[in-house]
Amino acid sequence: MLHEQGFTGRVEESLERRLGRKLDPKLADVGRLLFFDRISNLHNDNTCAGCHAPTNGFGDSQPMAIGIQSNLLVGPHRLGPRNQRRTPTVVNVAFYPRLMWNGRFAALSGDPFNNALGYQFPLPEGVSKFGPNNSRYPHLLVAQAHMPPTELNEAAGFTGVLDGINPRLQVFDDGKGMRVPGLDASGWRNDAIRDVVVQRLNAVPEYVQKFGGPVDIDMFAKAIAEFEFTLVRANAPLDRFARGDTGAMTVSQKHGALLFFGKANCVACHGVRGESNEMFSDFRMHNIGVPQIAPAFGPGKGNTIFDGPDENEDFGLEQVTGEIGDRYKFRTSPLRNLAVQPAFFHNGAFVRLEDAVRHHLDVIASLKNYDAAKAGVAPDLVGRTAPVDKVSATLDPKLGKAVALTEQEFADLVDFLRNGLLDERVKPGEMCKLVPDKLPSGPQFLKFEGCR
């Protein structure tokens, strides 16, 4: 079955060949420091690692992300206003041709290692900033690393922001952190924010020394991307089995894999061949009927204005394309290392893998019977659930028919997903080793629950 699917179990070893070079350990270590350092965060209270938690495979420790104005914990007790979606993992993201839940960052070639056609981003970057064959951006991750510091609710904050945002968001101006630059002549503030980040970096002698001279935003982005390249973890039991280690998988996991590729037909979207890069995603956009949940809007609750008349919906791809036919479509989630995720789907609507699988097997029934409290989501996400008929009306046809599995088949499928696709190196004991005690800008200020 794996041979028919073109699955080799060797995607991890292809990284340097596709980069066309060896990884740079010194640059990657600078990127690691930056990943944990609040220096690129104008609000001074979050970092990349605040949302990409080492205890969760550098994915979210929450069902829905909490960025600025947090309590500085990273883990199950993190508190603060929620953003709109769950933070995706950066483990193995080097192989993703399309990034983010609404797919707004993409390699137009379909290959993140190939910028022959350039990279597509929302405005103001568009398709010109990271254009075709620009040697400054050899990989999609290098381009994408320019973006997080510009996100107001994740990193920059709202201090002093009066222009270019919905006036209701001004309630999140807490007067803390740095004043966020106003709109520049282009009508945007992204470059202005990056300029401030560069000034902050160059004010820290250790960063200037590590970069070998004055720092610019491209150097910052390349360092972050280099660290992310070191986070490839694709040596799960299935990979070892595919390479010839027939004892790498249990009988249950083998049965589950056969169901995944066969009767349950999970592979219809969670593909492994071609542009999927053995990541168990077709990286396309689908409406799979995920129940719509949202926090209430306001300080300490949620700092994103959701879609719909009651502001409790997430329109997904429609936010990017403006096409109503793209409503509720989200990028197929890659499935490697699910065992370290605390929640599933773009909004964490399910916190148990078993429930997420049951949803796929019978989406209509799952939507009809969905109860956020019974699903186990956080209390602040229970009270605002959008009507399910809106979501089910445009459901992807692939999910229109229920799939019946026996109890044993279901257990085998879950075992395969949880354990057969798990690289042991993503467990907290390993990933927590990457947390620095001290940073060039000062001591580590975040507390990572689950890391010693």
Side-chain angles (χ1 to χ4, degrees):
M1 183 72 80
L2 293 180
H3 179 73
E4 291 174 5
Q5 292 292 332
F7 186 89
T8 67
R10 298 184 182 278
V11 66
E12 179 172 333
E13 65 189 53
S14 74
L15 177 66
E16 292 186 335
R17 173 179 57 78
R18 296 177 71 178
L19 284 173
R21 61 176 177 82
K22 294 284 188 180
L23 292 181
D24 183 338
K26 290 185 178 180
L27 183 61
D29 195 58
V30 178
R32 178 179 70 97
L33 297 175
L34 290 169
F35 198 88
F36 285 89
D37 200 326
R38 55 181 160 173
I39 196 163
S40 62
N41 174 274
L42 268 58
H43 202 254
N44 295 325
D45 63 351
N46 198 27
T47 72
C48 304
C51 295
H52 295 282
T55 50
N56 300 95
F58 284 94
D60 216 326
S61 63
Q62 291 286 312
M64 192 177 290
I66 295 170
I68 61 164
Q69 300 179 350
S70 79
N71 59 352
L72 306 185
L73 289 179
V74 182
H77 297 99
R78 185 171 175 84
L79 298 174
R82 294 195 187 274
N83 302 167
Q84 190 169 31
R85 300 177 184 129
R86 185 171 64 82
T87 307
T89 179
V90 294
V91 169
N92 294 323
V93 75
F95 294 103
Y96 294 8
R98 187 177 294 273
L99 305 173
M100 313 307 287
W101 286 105
N102 60 6
R104 63 186 183 273
F105 309 142
L108 293 177
S109 67
D111 180 355
F113 298 84
N114 180 353
N115 72 342
L117 300 178
Y119 305 124
Q120 181 172 328
F121 281 61
L123 293 174
E125 285 71 27
V127 295
S128 59
K129 184 174 182 65
F130 309 113
N133 296 312
N134 190 327
S135 61
R136 293 160 62 191
Y137 314 115
H139 190 282
L140 178 59
L141 287 182
V142 178
Q144 188 273 331
H146 289 72
M147 304 308 298
T150 70
E151 299 287 352
L152 301 188
N153 60 0
E154 297 176 18
F158 295 86
T159 301
V161 178
L162 297 174
D163 51 0
I165 65 170
N166 188 314
R168 293 168 62 195
L169 292 169
Q170 292 170 4
V171 70
F172 294 100
D173 181 350
D174 57 7
K176 298 179 180 179
M178 294 188 68
R179 185 179 182 89
V180 178
L183 302 182
D184 59 24
S186 71
W188 304 88
R189 59 170 53 86
N190 284 13
D191 281 337
I193 290 174
R194 294 180 188 118
D195 288 344
V196 176
V197 170
V198 168
Q199 293 170 17
R200 288 163 62 111
L201 285 167
N202 283 302
V204 179
E206 187 175 344
Y207 276 124
V208 176
Q209 182 269 326
K210 286 182 178 295
F211 277 108
V215 186
D216 62 33
I217 197 65
D218 287 351
M219 296 162 70
F220 164 85
K222 285 181 178 179
I224 293 285
E226 198 73 9
F227 172 59
E228 292 175 333
F229 293 149
T230 70
L231 295 178
V232 170
R233 302 288 188 274
N235 190 32
L238 185 71
D239 299 287
R240 298 195 296 276
F241 180 88
R243 296 197 304 267
D245 180 0
T246 55
M249 299 176 72
T250 66
V251 171
S252 172
Q253 290 164 17
K254 292 175 187 177
H255 287 166
L258 290 169
L259 290 163
F260 181 95
F261 291 112
K263 179 180 178 180
N265 199 29
C266 310
V267 74
C269 294
H270 295 282
V272 296
R273 67 171 76 245
E275 294 178 4
S276 294
N277 290 318
E278 302 188 9
M279 290 291 117
F280 296 86
S281 171
D282 59 8
F283 292 101
R284 295 175 182 171
M285 315 299 288
H286 304 275
N287 174 9
I288 63 168
V290 177
Q292 294 272 312
I293 59 176
F297 178 78
K301 298 175 182 178
N303 59 17
T304 300
I305 300 173
F306 276 63
D307 302 316
D310 296 320
E311 297 180 350
N312 60 357
E313 300 174 69
D314 183 341
F315 287 172
L317 182 60
E318 184 187 353
Q319 296 174 346
V320 178
T321 66
E323 299 291 334
I324 194 170
D326 290 332
R327 186 169 296 183
Y328 310 126
K329 289 183 178 181
F330 296 90
R331 186 198 66 180
T332 302
S333 181
L335 298 182
R336 286 182 177 272
N337 304 311
L338 291 178
V340 297
Q341 289 185 195
F344 303 91
F345 303 120
H346 69 277
N347 57 5
F350 296 98
V351 302
R352 293 178 288 269
L353 177 58
E354 289 82 357
D355 291 344
V357 174
R358 288 190 183 95
H359 175 82
H360 280 85
L361 296 175
D362 193 344
V363 173
I364 300 299
S366 176
L367 268 173
K368 180 181 178 181
N369 299 313
Y370 183 73
D371 183 305
K374 291 180 179 178
V377 303
D380 64 305
L381 296 173
V382 167
R384 288 168 46 79
T385 305
V388 300
D389 56 341
K390 296 182 179 181
V391 180
S392 60
T394 58
L395 190 69
D396 192 297
K398 293 185 179 72
L399 294 164
K401 185 178 180 181
V403 177
L405 298 181
T406 67
E407 289 186 12
Q408 186 59 57
E409 287 175 331
F410 180 82
D412 289 343
L413 178 58
V414 171
D415 187 19
F416 167 66
L417 293 169
R418 176 177 284 130
N419 301 308
L421 297 180
L422 173 66
D423 187 319
E424 296 285 332
R425 296 172 297 170
V426 304
K427 288 186 174 180
E430 290 298 315
M431 290 304 205
C432 286
K433 294 176 183 177
L434 297 173
V435 180
D437 294 323
K438 187 177 183 299
L439 298 159
S441 65
Q444 175 64 260
F445 81 107
L446 291 174
K447 180 178 179 182
F448 297 93
E449 297 181 287
C451 288
R452 293 185 179 181

